Amino acid sequence: MSTALITGASAGIGKTFATQLAQRGHDLVVVARNEQRLEELKAQLEDRYSVSVEVLPADLSDRLDIQLVADRLSDPKRPVDLLVNNAGYGLKKPFLRNEIRDEEDMLTVLVRSVNVLSHAAALAMRERGHGAIINVSSVAGFMASGTYSAAKSYVTVFTEGLATELARSGVTATVLCPGFTRTEFHERAGIKGHGIPDFMWLQADSLVKACLDDVDKGKVISIPSAQYKIAATALRLLPRPIVRAGKLARKHRP
Ligand SMILES: NC(=O)c1ccc[n+]([C@@H]2O[C@H](COP(=O)([O-])OP(=O)(O)OC[C@H]3O[C@@H](n4cnc5c(N)ncnc54)[C@H](OP(=O)(O)O)[C@@H]3O)[C@@H](O)[C@H]2O)c1
């Protein structure tokens, strides 16, 4: 039985990863701040799928908590075979209207925790000769829209580099780049999402299933759904002044 550790497992995409991985028979370590939600998820998944779920509450904007999760990933007695770095959020206001403390906290969650946890997991997995890491980025990483899109750009490029470094080690690294997905994300950020056409919204279930299929195929970049494959290709090919001028980049951010 293999074990998956998922950050941000209390809601949205992370909770969906936890559910689908339990369905596939993985034991889980679930990480987020809201311990009560994690305990409810544990009870539900253990009952429904007969797997074992460990609750590990952590605030990933806190360096000590990140280290706690890194230590769990490094523990040779309790190997973790799959890491999903998913926890994340966005800020409603543009960079200069936010307190720098809030910007720094977001960077810690979106970038530093991904960096530290990938390091701990990759070293332990490489030692054992197998494992997989999924880092949840965003198509916003191909845009130019404040700290969030810059952080997601980091996650994408960082994961590509990690995949190259891990080649032929038995360990894979995959970056998931979702577009707009129906979760608590936009409500938490105070972003309304009006004006985004229905066909641009993804469901977490199909997004996560497509990502896990891509991991099985050994893909490095996973961009589920035709509309976002096209959008991501266009954003990568367009001249940057056009990308910077984009209405979506200024208004919404997936
Ligand atoms: N939804 C979208 O349209 C979309 C699009 C592209 C990319 N993404 C990315 O997908 C990932 C998951 O987002 P989601 O859409 O599923 O959002 P969500 O429904 O709001 O869930 C976010 C998860 O992250 C956790 N989290 C937030 N801050 C945390 C912290 N400081 N420490 C630990 N956990 C924290 C939350 O748990 P607690 O509150 O319990 O801590 C929650 O489990 C994020 O990285 C996001 O950037 C989302």
Side-chain angles (χ1 to χ4, degrees), residues 8-14 32-34 58-61 86-89 109-110 136-138 148 152 178-181 183-186 188 254:
S10 62
I13 295 169
R33 289 165 302 183
N34 190 323
D59 178 348
L60 296 173
S61 68
N86 159 80
Y89 61 94
V109 176
L110 295 182
V136 181
S137 180
S138 170
Y148 180 81
K152 292 303 190 182
F180 293 111
T181 308
T183 65
E184 297 174 13
F185 181 92
H186 296 90
R188 284 185 198 232

Side-chain angles (χ1 to χ4, degrees), residues 89-107:
Y89 61 94
L91 297 173
K92 183 181 182 181
K93 290 185 274 182
F95 176 63
L96 293 178
R97 286 178 49 209
N98 285 324
E99 295 296 331
I100 195 61
R101 174 72 202 266
D102 294 335
E103 290 277 332
E104 285 182 318
D105 281 352
M106 183 174 69
L107 264 185

Side-chain angles (χ1 to χ4, degrees), residues 169-208:
S169 69
V171 183
T172 61
T174 301
V175 60
L176 168 63
C177 300
F180 293 111
T181 308
R182 295 210 188 273
T183 65
E184 297 174 13
F185 181 92
H186 296 90
E187 193 188 324
R188 284 185 198 232
I191 301 167
K192 291 201 177 70
H194 300 328
I196 299 160
D198 261 2
F199 77 93
M200 293 302 278
W201 284 100
L202 304 176
Q203 299 299 329
D205 267 341
S206 46
L207 174 86
V208 166

Side-chain angles (χ1 to χ4, degrees), residues 2-6 21 26-30 79-84:
S2 75
T3 300
L5 185 149
I6 303 138
L21 289 167
H26 292 268
D27 287 335
L28 303 177
V29 183
V30 289
V80 172
D81 311 283
L82 171 61
L83 164 66
V84 186

